[in-house]
Amino acid sequence: MDLRYCIGWIGDHILALLPPRKKIVFVNFLGHGYGESPKYIAEEILRQQLPYDLVWLVYDMHSQFPNGIRKVKFYSFKSRYELATARVIISNTKGRLPYVKKKSQYYIQTWHGGFGVKYIEKDAEQYLPPKYVRDSKYDSSITDLIISGSDFQTQVIQDSFWYDGEIFKKGVPRNDVFFRRSEATVTQLRQKYGFDAECKIALYAPTFRDDERYDVYQIDTSMVLETLKHKTGHSWKLIIRLHPGVAGHSGIFDYSVDVINGSVYPDAQELLVMSDLLITDFSSIMMDFGIMKKPVLLFITDLEDYIQKSRGIRPLFYKLPFDLSQSNEDLYSAIMNYDEANYQQRLKEFMDIYFHSYDDGHASEYVVDRIKEHM
């Protein structure tokens, strides 16, 4: 057994003897910056001025955080201490955190994939690394509460997550921002990221591939921008945001004044709020955008390979209200033939029949109410 692992294991068990404090530890994608559902829960705690010590475990200590949140280096000894002495721990990824959970601690799993059309967890166990499966099962075994944003997500959790605990059917905290958006907030976000208020923005946000293929992201950025301008009469910018798991490979694209690297931004929800069009593939981000009733196009060049050689996709994929393109030529046609009225009708029918969202803009408040009970 690895010596460092043994030392860490012994240290975690010693730290487990320490009593928890009025402290909450947040983990976003196992060490990423200030984003996702943990961010919006933290902001609600700050808004209510609750007397809790807020700690964020992060790899990049240069990451920006608001006052009231302490940054601690992930996987440092100090991070183990913070986890061991926290009353509440919040994470959005299935994995084994470096601490031994006590009965007096409360672990909230917000999960980051609210709408998974690809098979995940138990349904894709044979395609997942054995270590991930072990860590995911362990994570489920210590979870006290898992967040769900829809009937669909609840069913996936029940069927696939090796979990039989409480499912919190109150919406997804990161989606609260969609219900608070206005022209003023969109303008503020665009100014924050350096975009003109009048500019139209398309977001290309594909998910990762288990075999780490990057040739599947062969979108013709110039064609997309030119076609959108021709279709709408407006100038457009294209933001490219890769899944956090492969964001380190964002250099595979050529960037310019009109093609922006969005993988460096910590909060995808802000990009969604200020964008006018989403292009994605199997990513659950499609339904985040759909909640706002904004147009989504699917661009998947490896559909058949994914079905035959990877973990596969759920039958619901073929009922999605989003036009599917398997080549840049298809994508050109999808943009040119887009019909707003037809899209909105298909989207509404899908949401009513298959999705059944719980989101109402107050999910963060509901989670904080639960946290108060355990403090």
Side-chain angles (χ1 to χ4, degrees):
M1 186 178 289
D2 183 84
L3 179 60
R4 287 182 300 176
Y5 176 85
C6 290
I7 294 173
W9 185 89
I10 294 170
D12 292 342
H13 281 75
I14 294 173
L15 289 171
L17 300 174
L18 298 174
R21 300 165 41 202
K22 280 194 171 184
K23 174 165 61 181
I24 304 172
V25 171
F26 299 87
V27 185
N28 174 31
F29 284 110
L30 300 178
H32 280 240
Y34 193 51
E36 252 275 338
S37 285
K39 167 185 174 177
Y40 292 93
I41 297 170
E43 290 195 338
E44 181 59 25
I45 292 169
L46 293 173
R47 187 188 71 81
Q48 295 187 28
Q49 299 182 337
L50 297 174
Y52 306 149
D53 182 14
L54 306 184
V55 177
W56 202 285
L57 303 187
V58 65
Y59 276 117
D60 182 4
M61 293 297 287
H62 294 99
S63 301
Q64 297 298 309
F65 287 83
N67 293 332
I69 298 180
R70 294 193 291 117
K71 292 179 292 185
V72 173
K73 185 78 170 179
F74 195 37
Y75 270 106
S76 64
F77 176 80
K78 185 170 177 55
S79 74
R80 294 173 183 267
Y81 169 81
E82 301 291 358
L83 285 165
T85 55
R87 176 72 69 182
V88 176
I89 296 156
I90 300 173
S91 177
N92 70 339
T93 309
K94 304 289 289 299
R96 187 181 289 266
L97 298 175
Y99 80 112
V100 177
K101 183 174 181 283
K102 297 183 278 285
K103 289 183 179 179
S104 56
Q105 292 182 304
Y106 196 67
Y107 179 53
I108 301 175
Q109 173 60 254
T110 66
W111 187 239
H112 59 279
F115 181 73
V117 292
K118 59 184 179 181
Y119 287 116
I120 59 174
E121 302 297 292
K122 185 191 300 184
D123 294 332
E125 183 172 354
Q126 62 180 316
Y127 298 103
L128 300 173
K131 182 181 183 303
Y132 176 85
V133 173
R134 291 194 302 270
D135 289 349
S136 182
K137 289 179 178 180
Y138 175 78
D139 185 277
S140 290
S141 73
I142 66 170
T143 295
D144 295 292
L145 189 73
I146 190 166
I147 305 300
S148 176
S150 66
D151 279 351
F152 174 85
Q153 187 176 3
T154 295
Q155 193 64 53
V156 171
I157 292 170
Q158 291 172 336
D159 293 344
S160 309
F161 274 52
W162 299 290
Y163 178 73
D164 59 2
E166 183 181 359
I167 300 174
F168 201 57
K169 304 176 186 179
K170 293 288 189 178
V172 179
R174 70 177 185 222
N175 290 345
D176 288 348
V177 66
F178 300 154
F179 295 84
R180 301 170 189 167
R181 76 188 193 282
S182 63
E183 288 188 15
T185 57
V186 171
T187 298
Q188 289 173 358
L189 281 175
R190 291 188 173 191
Q191 291 174 343
K192 172 183 174 180
Y193 288 98
F195 293 100
D196 188 285
E198 303 301 320
C199 176
K200 293 288 185 180
I201 298 174
L203 175 64
Y204 175 48
T207 191
F208 66 93
R209 299 300 190 273
D210 293 321
D211 58 2
E212 299 185 356
R213 286 182 60 187
Y214 302 107
D215 61 324
V216 298
Y217 309 134
Q218 48 190 291
I219 189 169
D220 186 335
T221 57
S222 297
M223 179 278 293
V224 168
L225 290 172
E226 291 171 5
T227 307
L228 285 170
K229 183 176 182 179
H230 182 68
K231 171 72 174 181
T232 67
H234 295 281
S235 295
W236 287 72
K237 303 283 187 182
L238 178 64
I239 300 175
I240 299 177
R241 183 182 178 82
L242 295 181
H243 184 280
V246 293
H249 297 274
S250 60
I252 61 176
F253 295 98
D254 293 324
Y255 301 105
S256 64
V257 173
D258 295 323
V259 181
I260 296 93
N261 183 2
S263 299
V264 299
Y265 301 139
D267 189 358
Q269 305 310 104
E270 291 186 343
L271 299 182
L272 290 171
V273 168
M274 69 182 188
S275 295
D276 301 286
L277 167 71
L278 172 68
I279 302 173
T280 187
D281 47 18
F282 305 110
S283 174
S284 67
I285 204 172
M286 67 177 74
M287 201 49 64
D288 290 358
F289 214 68
I291 289 172
M292 293 185 285
K293 300 180 180 179
K294 295 199 285 189
V296 177
L297 297 175
L298 303 182
F299 177 67
I300 307 172
T301 60
D302 61 332
L303 179 59
E304 298 307 319
D305 277 353
Y306 196 90
I307 294 171
Q308 296 173 12
K309 301 177 183 178
S310 189
R311 59 176 76 179
I313 54 178
R314 302 179 189 278
L316 187 63
F317 173 81
Y318 298 100
K319 294 182 172 64
L320 290 172
F322 314 127
D323 287 341
L324 168 64
S325 300
Q326 297 188 60
S327 66
N328 281 289
E329 291 76 14
D330 291 345
L331 185 57
Y332 168 84
S333 298
I335 295 172
M336 291 302 298
N337 295 322
Y338 174 77
D339 181 89
E340 175 71 9
N342 177 267
Y343 170 73
Q344 292 297 339
Q345 179 63 33
R346 287 184 291 149
L347 178 62
K348 183 180 185 306
E349 291 175 356
F350 181 87
M351 297 285 279
D352 291 345
I353 297 172
Y354 300 106
F355 191 61
H356 300 135
S357 175
Y358 307 146
D359 286 308
D360 63 2
H362 300 282
S364 298
E365 297 170 46
Y366 302 140
V367 173
V368 172
D369 286 343
R370 177 59 65 89
I371 289 172
K372 291 176 185 176
E373 297 175 8
H374 290 271
M375 280 294 185

